[in-house]
Amino acid sequence: MTETTKTHVILLACGSFNPITKGHIQMFERARDYLHKTGRFIVIGGIVSPVHDSYGKQGLVSSRHRLIMCQLAVQNSDWIRVDPWECYQDTWQTTCSVLEHHRDLMKRVTGCILSNVNTPSMTPVVGQPQNETPQPIYQNSNVSSKPTAAKILGKVGESLSRICCVRPPVERFTFVDENANLGTVMRYEEIELRILLLCGSDLLESFCIPGLWNEADMEVIVGDFGIVVVPRDAADTDRIMNHSSILRKYKNNIMVVKDDINHPMSVVSSTKSRLALQHGDGHVVDYLSQPVIDYILKSQLYINASG
């Protein structure tokens, strides 16, 4: 497959991140590596979306702290970003609504940076001051400004780094082929763009608990978007999926990361990292990155049994 026929993916992880652990970041890396090895996908971004304060989980520290810790955890990554939208809402948001928000946001963003070759868009590019005269993205008089696939993907990447927006689940947009004869005939290439929910096998297993998830939401999450599962503690994902009619129905939309890395729950578990902090356990460095540990100690977080 060529680069443009592969499905371009952004991975979205929702969770408490209380605090974010090394294991959470490793999940992104393992998922990206696995998807690339399939030869069918190109992962162009990752988003960490911490849950709203009103989620009500015991020991959940303020989103202000959790956002900062997440930002510290990904500060050296060139493809994973932290998105504050979920935290900034008036109340808790479902996973389904978070996915739909990012899909709709990216639709608006791509509407700004993509335009029909015959009808130049006059919509300002994301980040462009609204009180300035917008420049059309496509200009017949200037070959160098034509929206080639490479230029447009670069523009989306810039937007992602600024506002953590993502692409729609399964849609195709038309780009001008950068090798086309721009003087006469235009050729086109289509790039498929998807947003996939990244999770551990524990979240997948929670789909099987009666009444825990809204079934309509499950249909949207698994059926419309799709999920990438990083198994933990050698979980039997096939067995888990067989326990849910919805998971069985959309089994082809569930990608289970298969590699040779053992992924013990303790590496990912925020609970174990909090316990290590409370007991002054030096093994906390196995769970958390040093910048996150430094921030926790400075802010005096998780120093008592309640959180």
Side-chain angles (χ1 to χ4, degrees), residues 76-130:
N76 293 323
S77 174
D78 61 358
W79 68 282
I80 305 173
R81 299 289 182 267
V82 181
D83 179 59
W85 179 85
E86 192 175 349
C87 292
Y88 288 171
Q89 301 312 295
D90 292 335
T91 187
W92 169 75
Q93 302 293 308
T94 65
T95 301
C96 183
S97 66
V98 177
L99 284 163
E100 290 176 332
H101 157 73
H102 286 296
R103 175 196 61 197
D104 295 342
L105 178 58
M106 182 49 88
K107 280 185 176 179
R108 295 195 297 272
V109 171
T110 53
C112 291
I113 63 175
L114 302 181
S115 60
N116 185 292
V117 294
N118 295 317
T119 55
S121 169
M122 296 303 292
T123 307
V125 176
V126 172
Q128 179 177 347
Q130 300 298 300

Side-chain angles (χ1 to χ4, degrees), residues 30-49:
R30 289 180 62 195
R32 181 176 69 162
D33 289 347
Y34 175 74
L35 292 178
H36 285 177
K37 286 178 182 178
T38 66
R40 298 186 293 121
F41 302 96
I42 298 177
V43 178
I44 61 173
I47 292 179
V48 176
S49 181

Side-chain angles (χ1 to χ4, degrees), residues 18-19 59 61 69 274 277-278 296 300-304 307:
N18 187 44
V61 302
M69 288 187 286
R274 293 196 302 271
L277 287 163
Q278 291 161 13
I296 288 172
Q300 292 290 288
L301 304 176
Y302 311 119
I303 58 175
N304 56 54

Side-chain angles (χ1 to χ4, degrees), residues 13 24 48 50 52 64 76 122 125 135 145 150 169 175 182 192 201 208 219 230 240 252 255 261 263-264 272 289 291:
H24 290 130
V48 176
H52 191 274
R64 177 176 65 87
N76 293 323
M122 296 303 292
V125 176
Q135 296 297 315
S145 69
F175 299 89
L182 297 173
E192 184 175 317
S201 50
C208 304
E219 288 270 354
V230 180
I240 294 172
N252 290 338
M255 285 157 281
I261 302 173
H263 205 223
K272 288 186 178 294
S289 65

Side-chain angles (χ1 to χ4, degrees), residues 151-177:
K151 291 178 182 177
I152 290 176
L153 286 177
K155 182 64 71 175
V156 171
E158 293 171 9
S159 299
L160 174 64
S161 68
R162 287 196 297 269
I163 63 175
C164 290
C165 53
V166 298
R167 295 181 163 91
V170 184
E171 296 192 10
R172 288 184 177 272
F173 298 100
T174 300
F175 299 89
V176 177
D177 190 326

